[in-house]
Amino acid sequence: MVQAQNTDVAALRALPREELAEDLLSRSPSELAELLSRLGDDALAEIVAELDPADAARLLGKLSRAQAAALLEEMDPDDAVDIAGELEDDDAEAIFIEMNPHDVEELRRLMNYPPDSAGGIMTTDYVAISPDLTADEALVALRAVAEEAETIYYIYVTDPATNRLLGVLSLRNLVLTRPETPVRDLMVTEIVKTRVDADQEEAVRLLDRYGLLALPVVDEEDRLVGIITADDAASVLMEEAGEDIERLGGSQPLEEPYLRASILHLVRKRLPWLLILFVGGAYTGTVIAAFEETISQVVALTFFIPMLIGTGGNAGSQIVTTLVRALGMGEVNLGHLGRVLWREVRVAALLGTAMGIATYIRAWTLGVGVEIGPVVALSTVTIVLWAAIVSSLLPLLISRTRIDPAVVSTPFITTLVDGTGLLIYFVIASRLLGI
């Protein structure tokens, strides 16, 4: 029987996340109840916790209130909060009635934190001990709670009266030290920690920067309220990366898996930015109309319009993509604006020169090199430099506002540089050709 149970669990866990959700959600309530009785609350809770919270909430809706409550009680608090947050208020309250009051109180406390804060992704299943214990007493205390804790690699030392965080020690040091050594002498007091109201990305970057397996979360009075584990950090990074990729493409992020998003939902996410980019791109036609006389006198100028605006847009999008990633990883900030700008201008000067030479050669192959070649070559260098300046400044300046720097996406920069690039091109042409 145990072997069959383990086989069922292994088979379900081997499924990709979307297939696992599809498999479980396709089962009837009676089939789910039978699976629950066969696997047990603990095993099924671990499987359900792997699902997208929206899928997990739909799955709980197919179970009885008591069964749903049993699964939530077996989950880590951070996973249970994510799923409870996807339930309708009435459904959540009905399930909470069936749960242990202590677990419900813990869930309600965690649900009060903003979902994008450190408190919103932390778990309260950590190990904390008194500084007055010896190493041997600490190991005894650890054994008593190890099964319930999400991680035991770090043990936090807190004031028994106030729960204020005093220090931290690793399981390795605790095991290797002499049994009678006081915990106070073992703990590290210079603690890397984050505030409960800190942005989740800031907290995750802190954990990643120091290579930690878990990061303690404290309140305004330095009391330990939870920890952020490495798996929580990985989930946040994947989610933020996915959102940034969608924004870089000129679309608002989806709040649900792509295949479950309705057609109208996809339209609502994409249409606003398309309209903004449409309005922004409309001035490209205005620029061309303003230089109609110049174009009519030297028709060959039109040969290079697609190439020049494409070069400027591509150069800008390369910089924006690089800087958005660097901002997301905490590698640069507004204080680095001067260094970033000087760096990108130098890169653009070299790239622009190379592209200018290539453009000049292209003018020769079209038979207009003598007259138009210098114009398009100089325009290429200038447009690439201009694209570098705009694309370096905007993400860093916007990072100090409430707008996500990823909003300064490739389509936005491309649209901006297209129109201004044409203006640069025709102004240079007018001056050099004396039109």
Side-chain angles (χ1 to χ4, degrees):
M1 178 66 180
V2 173
Q3 184 177 358
Q5 174 180 321
N6 290 339
T7 302
D8 287 340
V9 172
L12 288 171
R13 285 180 173 168
L15 293 174
R17 195 179 190 185
E18 289 298 321
E19 291 184 25
L20 175 61
E22 185 177 346
D23 178 280
L24 293 176
L25 289 171
S26 66
R27 304 190 186 208
S28 66
S30 60
E31 290 173 330
L32 287 173
E34 192 275 331
L35 181 66
L36 181 61
S37 64
R38 191 168 74 247
L39 299 184
D41 297 339
D42 187 31
L44 189 57
E46 288 185 20
I47 293 171
V48 173
E50 295 297 320
L51 300 178
D52 179 85
D55 286 332
R58 290 172 59 198
L59 188 65
L60 292 190
K62 302 181 73 170
L63 299 172
S64 70
R65 303 303 188 195
Q67 291 168 335
L71 289 183
L72 285 182
E73 285 180 340
E74 291 295 335
M75 293 181 191
D76 293 328
D78 51 338
D79 294 327
V81 165
D82 290 340
I83 296 171
E86 295 290 337
L87 295 169
E88 295 292 336
D89 291 342
D90 291 343
D91 293 334
E93 289 301 325
I95 294 174
F96 286 169
I97 291 174
E98 301 287 339
M99 293 177 62
N100 182 299
H102 173 75
D103 293 333
V104 173
E105 181 183 355
E106 188 174 42
L107 289 182
R108 291 190 191 280
R109 185 170 66 252
L110 290 175
M111 291 174 73
N112 285 331
Y113 296 114
D116 58 351
S117 68
I121 61 171
M122 72 180 184
T123 179
T124 53
D125 283 346
Y126 58 84
V127 178
I129 59 175
S130 167
D132 299 322
L133 298 180
T134 63
D136 193 43
E137 291 170 334
L139 285 172
V140 172
L142 180 61
R143 292 190 190 99
V145 298
E147 188 175 346
E148 301 298 325
E150 188 157 338
T151 179
I152 61 172
Y153 295 111
Y154 297 139
I155 299 115
Y156 300 97
V157 184
T158 57
D159 186 307
T162 64
N163 203 41
R164 190 169 62 87
L165 183 61
L166 302 177
V168 61
L169 67 154
S170 68
L171 177 62
R172 181 178 184 276
N173 288 343
L174 185 61
V175 171
L176 295 179
T177 195
R178 296 173 62 86
E180 68 275 9
T181 306
V183 166
R184 191 183 302 277
D185 295 342
L186 292 173
M187 68 182 187
V188 175
T189 56
E190 295 182 2
I191 314 165
V192 179
K193 57 191 174 184
T194 188
R195 283 280 298 269
V196 69
D197 55 355
D199 184 87
Q200 63 176 8
E201 287 188 72
E202 177 186 329
V204 167
R205 285 199 297 266
L206 193 62
L207 185 146
D208 181 64
R209 184 184 310 145
Y210 288 93
L212 303 174
L213 297 175
L215 181 71
V217 181
V218 298
D219 62 13
E220 64 279 359
E221 297 180 15
D222 211 34
R223 294 175 298 196
L224 183 63
V225 293
I227 62 171
I228 297 173
T229 56
D231 60 327
D232 296 324
S235 298
V236 170
L237 289 175
M238 290 180 62
E239 179 182 344
E240 295 294 340
E243 290 181 358
D244 285 348
I245 289 171
E246 289 182 84
R247 289 192 177 101
L248 283 170
S251 174
Q252 286 296 317
L254 299 174
E255 290 84 16
E256 58 188 342
Y258 168 76
L259 291 177
R260 286 207 306 276
S262 68
I263 299 300
L264 288 179
H265 185 66
L266 291 174
V267 171
R268 284 196 299 269
K269 289 297 182 180
R270 298 175 184 177
L271 184 60
W273 276 109
L274 280 178
L275 290 174
I276 291 172
L277 294 172
F278 172 81
V279 173
Y283 75 94
T284 300
T286 304
V287 172
I288 294 176
F291 288 90
E292 182 179 3
E293 184 177 346
T294 302
I295 296 172
S296 65
Q297 293 185 44
V298 186
V299 177
L301 289 173
T302 60
F303 301 167
F304 302 93
I305 289 176
M307 184 169 58
L308 287 174
I309 63 177
T311 298
N314 291 336
S317 67
Q318 287 179 335
I319 296 170
V320 166
T321 303
T322 301
L323 285 183
V324 167
R325 177 196 172 278
L327 283 165
M329 298 297 293
E331 297 172 356
V332 298
N333 54 51
L334 186 59
H336 297 117
L337 190 148
R339 289 176 60 188
V340 170
L341 183 59
W342 175 231
R343 188 182 189 87
E344 291 298 341
V345 165
R346 286 180 293 168
V347 172
L350 295 174
L351 293 176
T353 300
M355 295 302 298
I357 294 171
T359 308
Y360 191 86
I361 293 172
R362 178 56 177 160
W364 271 102
T365 63
L366 291 174
V368 295
V370 175
E371 186 180 35
I372 306 298
V375 173
V376 293
L378 180 58
S379 297
T380 300
V381 175
T382 307
I383 289 171
V384 171
L385 282 169
W386 168 241
I389 293 171
V390 173
S391 303
S392 299
L393 292 177
L394 281 182
L396 292 174
L397 292 174
I398 286 180
S399 68
R400 294 301 300 270
T401 69
R402 293 182 178 274
I403 302 173
D404 191 319
V407 171
V408 187
S409 59
T410 298
F412 186 83
I413 287 294
T414 300
T415 302
L416 177 62
V417 173
D418 282 356
T420 53
L422 279 179
L423 183 61
I424 291 170
Y425 177 41
F426 289 131
V427 168
I428 289 175
S430 299
R431 296 294 185 270
L432 293 185
L433 299 176
I435 302 174

